[in-house]
Amino acid sequence: MDLRRRVKHLQALALAYQQDPGLVGAKQLTILRAHVENIWNTYTEAFGRKAVEEGNKSEVTTSDESDSDIDEDGEILEPDYDVLQEMGDESMRLTSEMMDQADEKREEAFNALEKGHLQRALELFTEAIKLNPQSSVMYVNRASVFVKLKKPTAAIRDCNKASAINPKSVLPYKWRGKAYILLGQWKKAAEDFTTACQWGCDEETKALLQMVQLRLQKIVEGHRKYEQKQQLKSIQEQLEKVRLALEEQESVQREENSWDKMARAGQKHLKFIFMLVDPRMLMAFLDVVWNPENIYRYQKKNFLIKLTHKP
């Protein structure tokens, strides 16, 4: 029988004992309480030790990323709602000259990135977007800078815009997935990386997908272990309640049995005590004390015969 079912049965028994203490004898209660303690020890040793051993194990590290902006074990960031980047006006009439100027700003932004000037690159990508608001690549490029600046919410906003302009582009899903990682939204990140890989992606995106999937597995396993510990704690508490209830009933019945023995002993000698306080018995006793030869007078008296008669 499963241990959980056994615990439920024992709880029902404990409740029955509380309602009717005379349900079983003290000897049976002792055996049952020993049975409960045995279950307690078995369950604690089986699951408690396992939980401790698992808790002491170090987390398994995931695959290395050679050139990634994402630190798997990095701090989870709060959403950066305060960052409201400028968006281009898609309704504006686009000229070839504006497109050329946007490409020039884009090249300048890449040069700034190579020098590590992230804020300058961000400004240049914004200028490029204003010149060519119909280019999804411009939004993706700026999103990549937001990711490097640890501004994931702004990056997601740009990726959403880029995906709306070109739904079949892989890059918005890749960079949005990275932004979701910064926010600790592993499931959404996995969905974006999966979509990107379905349409064709690079090795970095594949590695990111594997990393996120491993992290999700760890989260699921962590929840499972937590639930198992909570279940173990609940079962231990239930067993302890049952054990204490049985111990209490055993003590009560032991006390009741002790009083029963005293009562039976008292009943056994009660008749003799009553006969001793009989006035006729007292008079006969005093007569014999003063006149020992008078003892023969009382040999056939009924009250003396009852006193000396052995059942």
Side-chain angles (χ1 to χ4, degrees):
M1 184 186 296
D2 183 77
L3 278 176
R4 295 176 186 85
R5 291 178 59 190
R6 293 166 71 179
V7 170
K8 289 182 179 178
H9 290 172
L10 289 170
Q11 279 187 302
L13 283 172
L15 180 61
Y17 299 148
Q18 291 176 346
Q19 295 175 348
D20 184 7
L23 186 62
V24 295
K27 183 177 181 181
Q28 291 170 302
L29 277 174
T30 303
I31 296 173
L32 200 54
R33 184 165 60 84
H35 181 58
V36 170
E37 291 176 349
N38 182 54
I39 294 177
W40 167 283
N41 295 332
T42 301
Y43 199 89
T44 303
E45 289 177 5
F47 292 93
R49 191 191 310 115
K50 183 179 179 182
V52 172
E53 291 174 355
E54 290 180 348
N56 291 333
K57 290 181 180 178
S58 59
E59 292 188 356
V60 180
T61 57
T62 58
S63 58
D64 295 334
E65 297 175 30
S66 58
D67 186 22
S68 175
D69 305 293
I70 301 300
D71 179 10
E72 177 193 353
D73 297 320
E75 180 184 1
I76 301 299
L77 304 177
E78 293 293 328
D80 45 294
Y81 296 121
D82 58 318
V83 178
L84 295 175
Q85 68 268 43
E86 293 185 71
M87 296 291 186
D89 182 8
E90 292 182 58
S91 64
M92 68 181 292
R93 184 178 178 181
L94 191 62
T95 65
S96 58
E97 183 181 358
M98 293 171 65
M99 293 175 64
D100 291 340
Q101 290 177 352
D103 289 339
E104 290 177 5
K105 293 293 183 181
R106 181 168 174 258
E107 289 301 320
E108 290 181 32
F110 280 132
N111 291 332
L113 279 177
E114 290 179 0
K115 296 177 182 179
H117 301 158
L118 299 181
Q119 194 60 42
R120 178 56 182 163
L122 188 67
E123 294 171 358
L124 289 168
F125 278 131
T126 300
E127 292 180 18
I129 288 172
K130 290 180 180 179
L131 290 167
N132 186 2
Q134 298 176 10
S135 172
S136 65
V137 175
M138 297 297 184
Y139 287 101
V140 171
N141 292 151
R142 189 171 67 174
S144 69
V145 180
F146 278 127
V147 169
K148 295 177 186 295
L149 289 170
K150 308 299 182 184
K151 301 293 183 181
T153 306
I156 291 171
R157 195 179 295 116
D158 272 352
C159 288
N160 291 341
K161 185 70 173 180
S163 183
I165 295 172
N166 185 4
K168 295 186 177 181
S169 176
V170 172
L171 290 175
Y173 293 97
K174 175 182 177 179
W175 285 101
R176 190 170 65 183
K178 288 186 176 186
Y180 280 135
I181 289 178
L182 293 176
L183 293 171
Q185 298 182 20
W186 307 101
K187 187 175 180 180
K188 289 184 177 181
E191 291 172 354
D192 276 349
F193 291 141
T194 300
T195 301
C197 288
Q198 287 174 349
W199 291 349
C201 62
D202 53 23
E203 292 301 319
E204 182 193 12
T205 307
K206 291 180 181 178
L208 286 170
L209 176 59
Q210 292 176 355
M211 182 267 286
V212 171
Q213 288 174 335
L214 286 174
R215 176 56 67 96
L216 284 172
Q217 290 177 3
K218 288 182 181 180
I219 292 173
V220 171
E221 181 65 16
H223 284 308
R224 187 191 65 80
K225 290 179 181 178
Y226 174 78
E227 290 175 358
Q228 185 183 65
K229 289 180 180 178
Q230 291 300 111
Q231 189 178 50
L232 172 62
K233 182 180 178 182
S234 175
I235 290 177
Q236 287 178 332
E237 290 174 352
Q238 292 171 10
L239 283 172
E240 178 65 8
K241 288 179 181 178
V242 173
R243 188 185 66 82
L244 292 175
L246 293 175
E247 191 175 52
E248 181 181 356
Q249 295 304 320
E250 181 186 356
S251 176
V252 169
Q253 286 207 359
R254 218 172 20 237
E255 185 177 347
E256 289 177 351
N257 290 340
S258 176
W259 279 106
D260 287 343
K261 289 180 181 179
M262 292 177 61
R264 286 195 296 269
Q267 289 176 354
K268 183 177 180 181
H269 301 289
L270 190 59
K271 187 176 181 180
F272 178 75
I273 293 171
F274 284 153
M275 292 183 70
L276 286 178
V277 297
D278 188 336
R280 295 173 300 169
M281 182 64 68
L282 292 175
M283 293 297 296
F285 175 75
L286 293 174
D287 185 24
V288 171
V289 168
W290 292 103
N291 302 289
E293 65 276 5
N294 291 341
I295 192 171
Y296 298 106
R297 294 182 184 178
Y298 306 101
Q299 287 181 349
K300 295 183 180 182
K301 297 292 184 180
N302 289 334
F303 60 88
L304 284 178
I305 293 175
K306 290 180 181 180
L307 179 64
T308 56
H309 177 68
K310 293 184 180 180

